[in-house]
């Protein structure tokens, strides 16, 4: 079976031909609210928060999680 080109956001697989996307593009392509917090999870289970404008290589991560954004103050 051929490897699918894309990434996981939660339990949804998003196909893409692009290797790099911004945090906002990842959320929008998955149909998620771009105001949510995007967390990238690597193969070791380490989590990294991805800023909306930050470009990441989607192949470097096993999955992405979208979490509610919180306003502190």
């Amino acid at each position: 079976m051929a490897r699918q080109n894309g990434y996981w956001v939660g339990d949804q697989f998003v196909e893409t031909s692009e290797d790099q996307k911004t945090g906002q593009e990842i959320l929008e392509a998955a149909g998620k609210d771009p105001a949510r917090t995007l967390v990238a999870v690597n193969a070791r289970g380490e989590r990294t928060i991805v800023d909306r404008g930050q470009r990441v290589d989607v192949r470097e991560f096993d999955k992405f999680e979208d979490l509610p954004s919180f306003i502190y103050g």
Side-chain angles (χ1 to χ4, degrees), residues 38-50:
L38 183 66
V39 177
V41 183
N42 69 17
R44 294 183 298 208
E46 298 169 336
R47 290 169 164 71
T48 304
I49 294 176
V50 178

Side-chain angles (χ1 to χ4, degrees), residues 22-64:
T22 65
Q24 183 169 346
E25 291 170 338
I26 292 169
L27 288 168
E28 288 175 349
K32 306 290 184 179
D33 180 356
R36 292 178 66 89
T37 299
L38 183 66
V39 177
V41 183
N42 69 17
R44 294 183 298 208
E46 298 169 336
R47 290 169 164 71
T48 304
I49 294 176
V50 178
D51 292 329
R52 286 179 187 84
Q54 180 180 351
R55 294 192 72 73
V56 295
D57 187 339
V58 296
R59 297 171 301 161
E60 290 182 16
F61 300 99
D62 281 356
K63 65 179 179 176
F64 295 90

